[in-house]
Amino acid sequence: MAVSALGYLGFEVSDLPAWRTFATDFLGLMDVSGSRDELKLRLDSRDWRIAVSPGPADDLAFAGFEVADSEAMEKVLARLKSIDVKATPDPALAKKRGVTALATCTDPSGLAVEIYHGATEAFETPLISPAGVRGFVTGEQGLGHIVLYAADVQKTLRFYTQGLGFRLSDHIDMRLAPETTLELTFLHCNPRHHTLALAPLPLPKRLNHFMLQVEEMEDVGLAFDRVEKLGLRIANTLGRHTNDHMLSFYTYTPSGFEVEFGWGARTIGPDWTVVRHKSGSTWGHKRASGN
């Protein structure tokens, strides 16, 4: 058995008030924070999906990967043990996260990884998006996706594939210069084309970007208009990706890393064939002026 989805994310940020405005007014997430010291955000029926805490890192602090039940969790922990990664049960942290059981470990880049089951649902409290987003694509596809920097891609791949059970989706050979190509590796753990992608760069930050997918194309256009209204900075213009076919654009978060806001990605089925792509996008996704 393997992890089934990216369940939640935690960010450490230097400007919590700016994040509160960004997450609600731009992304359209629902603020369900219990205090002013930590930002908790909903985007579906789950009690929360994103936690934002104050700190100097301005980076991804932890990622929670969901498994179906206690049996699946034991098997994932055994997989990790087989590659010499110790995952430690943490009942106190499980209570804080609002899950039944949780174990922690770190990936080869030092990211805190949490494997859990039994997340809290909040069906009784309707989701109300402050920006009027009509819905996000989650369910069996999980929260969305993350793209991480990895100094040692092979070691990181071993952790996520042999340890957590991710499977290869495809590769993109990104041409940075006439003689320089960067190979991006995309991984899935459910029908979402990729829940995780790795970029082979030894950078001090862990996160390149995270992605949220909306149910209606109209919400991508409305979000694009909110960028100018809220005085935000575009990172990549509107475009469509070659591998997952996502129609999206990228903007900078208050922490400097990026968020992709998209619609219309294709999914992976049992007959999926792994391929390579020579470009990241079929059109658009141009770096904005000054970036």
Side-chain angles (χ1 to χ4, degrees):
M1 290 187 181
V3 297
S4 58
L6 173 63
Y8 55 75
L9 295 172
F11 301 122
E12 181 183 309
V13 308
S14 59
D15 192 341
L16 192 62
W19 259 93
R20 193 178 302 273
T21 300
F22 179 82
T24 56
D25 294 357
F26 172 62
L27 294 178
L29 307 182
M30 183 177 176
D31 184 353
V32 292
S33 307
S35 73
R36 302 299 297 178
D37 299 326
E38 182 182 38
L39 180 60
K40 284 284 188 73
L41 300 162
R42 274 184 68 188
L43 59 132
D44 60 4
S45 65
R46 288 290 170 86
D47 191 48
W48 68 280
R49 289 285 195 177
I50 295 175
V52 187
S53 299
D58 277 319
D59 201 357
L60 182 63
F62 60 85
F65 292 100
E66 188 169 17
V67 295
D69 51 30
S70 58
E71 180 185 1
M73 185 167 175
E74 287 302 318
K75 290 186 176 181
V76 169
L77 298 189
R79 294 179 68 127
L80 288 167
K81 185 177 180 180
S82 73
I83 59 168
D84 299 319
V85 174
K86 182 181 180 181
T88 305
D90 192 332
L93 186 56
K95 184 177 181 180
K96 180 180 179 181
R97 302 283 191 247
V99 302
T100 299
L102 177 153
T104 63
C105 61
T106 57
D107 80 358
S109 297
L111 174 65
V113 170
E114 301 175 3
I115 302 102
Y116 73 93
H117 70 89
T120 301
E121 290 279 346
F123 285 113
E124 69 279 8
T125 305
L127 177 72
I128 300 174
S129 168
V133 176
R134 281 155 283 197
F136 293 91
V137 176
T138 56
E140 68 173 343
Q141 295 191 42
L143 165 63
H145 75 232
I146 52 176
V147 177
L148 302 177
Y149 296 119
D152 189 332
V153 170
Q154 291 308 310
K155 191 174 181 180
T156 306
L157 268 175
R158 184 169 181 259
F159 173 86
Y160 284 104
T161 56
Q162 295 182 37
L164 298 189
F166 276 83
R167 298 172 296 282
L168 181 63
S169 300
D170 50 33
H171 300 277
I172 294 180
D173 295 318
M174 298 287 290
R175 187 170 295 278
L176 304 181
E179 303 299 324
T180 305
T181 300
L182 186 71
E183 181 186 72
L184 304 182
T185 302
F186 296 81
L187 305 168
H188 66 275
C189 62
N190 57 49
R192 189 181 291 281
H193 175 275
H194 59 279
T195 289
L196 172 68
L198 302 175
L201 292 170
L203 298 183
K205 298 286 187 179
R206 299 185 182 111
L207 184 66
N208 174 272
H209 76 267
F210 71 102
M211 185 282 301
L212 299 177
Q213 181 178 346
V214 292
E215 295 176 347
E216 303 289 338
M217 183 175 67
E218 189 82 355
D219 280 320
V220 175
L222 292 170
F224 195 82
D225 283 350
R226 290 197 295 274
V227 170
E228 182 176 4
K229 179 181 177 181
L230 296 172
L232 303 175
R233 292 174 57 215
I234 289 288
N236 286 347
T237 61
L238 195 67
R240 193 152 213 165
H241 283 303
T242 53
N243 60 350
D244 68 354
H245 297 181
M246 181 83 75
L247 173 70
S248 65
F249 70 94
Y250 297 67
T251 190
Y252 290 102
T253 70
S255 292
F257 56 81
E258 300 171 19
V259 58
E260 179 183 6
F261 202 89
W263 168 86
R266 62 174 172 168
T267 55
I268 281 181
D271 58 346
W272 183 259
T273 299
V274 176
V275 298
R276 304 188 75 86
H277 300 274
K278 296 187 293 183
S279 175
S281 302
T282 58
W283 58 271
H285 286 148
K286 303 298 184 184
R287 293 301 284 178
S289 177
N291 294 336

